[in-house]
Amino acid sequence: AGRRLGAGERPGGGGRRPRLRGATRVAGGRAHGALLAPAVRANVDATLGLVGLVYTVERERWFLGEIRAAWRRLEPHLQARHLAELDGIADGAGLPREDVRLANVFPELFHCSGFALFGTATASGEMLHGRVLDYMTEIGLQRTAVLLVQAPRDALAFANVGYAGFAGSVTGANERGLSIGEMGGRGEGAWDGEPMAFLLRRALEEAPDLEAALRIYKNAARTCEYFYVLAHGPTRRAVGLAAWPARLEILAPGVAHELLPNAVPDAVLLSAGGRYEELVRRVRAGHGGFDPERALRLMDPGVAMGSNLHDALFAPERGELWIAHAPLRGSGPAAREPYTRVDLPKLFAAARARGSER
């Protein structure tokens, strides 16, 4: 899907489609599960086993009982096509369908940082959207990292920076230049809505621009508390989004907000505590000179936590994506690892040509 940057190397510069039958989505999921079966099984074991054990000990509540109760409330809001794909993944990997379904609730726990820079903030005015994912490198998800590129016949093609067996998205972009990254907040237990990772994926599948994505979030049944950076390269527009089950706030670029008090022109900056202050400091120091190489440095440790699982930088006008994952062995954040460059239009075209869902 791409190549790593060498030492000192600079980064390089439709109408409605027919509905897919559920059986077709199952087949697509089955291919995912079969091709990545050992990794899918490892992730299910890690999320339901290791994470479940820590959760049970720390909170003195049985994890599987909690997550099953959450799933019962989430499932009525899940898109049928996404549920069919989950069941296909389970079938392909030879796992119980319930295990894969429950493991896919796990991304609700991720906590992160993100930014979008454009206009006067970047050297050329182009949109640069960065996303830092921080969560539990100890359980080894980085060993099953996958860039999943899908081109459904009834939806937009999209790229999902994720992990084997997970059908939802917390970091992704679509063929129309829309990119989204998520930052978890509080509100655990408010499960009467569409799971966050599948709502984000639905926006990538259905929204050709920023306005369409915002409509999806506005009209959806939402869960818990989440924050997002949404960026659209072709129009050079980006916003932050603060979402709760009963409330939605748009965080405009360059405008101070009680949640994000340090406004920077032509920038959307989301993080928390000292990481937010450091992100603001770095953006102010380099304002007006950011290109992809310099934008990658915004995600260095200090903004990325020690539990930094992956980093991604989207340059949608170029059609480029850079990804770094936490090391396969040893410890350390993704931000200290080499970045791999990905040509998204090339992958989208290949997925369309191969008919990725048959």
Side-chain angles (χ1 to χ4, degrees), residues 202-265:
R202 184 157 68 88
L204 294 175
E205 288 181 311
E206 298 178 7
D209 53 36
L210 199 59
E211 288 74 15
L214 291 174
R215 284 195 297 272
I216 289 170
Y217 276 97
K218 179 181 178 180
N219 295 326
R222 299 179 299 274
T223 62
C224 304
E225 175 186 70
Y226 295 105
F227 303 91
Y228 305 87
V229 175
L230 291 82
H232 188 238
T235 56
R236 294 184 174 178
R237 295 184 57 216
V239 297
L241 198 62
W244 299 268
R247 182 161 58 101
L248 194 70
E249 291 188 33
I250 295 175
L251 310 174
V255 177
H257 186 277
E258 60 180 345
L259 298 173
L260 303 165
N262 300 312
V264 180

Side-chain angles (χ1 to χ4, degrees), residues 18-32 80-89 150-154 201 355-358:
R19 299 292 298 174
L20 281 178
R21 295 174 296 172
T24 306
R25 289 283 184 170
V26 171
R30 190 177 292 118
H32 175 170
R81 64 183 188 264
H82 295 157
L83 183 60
E85 187 172 330
L86 285 178
D87 289 346
I89 291 171
Q150 294 176 265
R153 280 175 276 172
D154 64 341
R201 172 175 165 168
S356 62
E357 290 191 320
R358 293 187 176 94

Side-chain angles (χ1 to χ4, degrees), residues 100-119:
V100 171
R101 291 180 178 192
L102 296 182
N104 268 268
V105 178
F106 175 70
E108 311 290 306
L109 305 176
F110 290 157
H111 299 274
C112 327
S113 303
F115 62 83
L117 309 173
F118 57 95

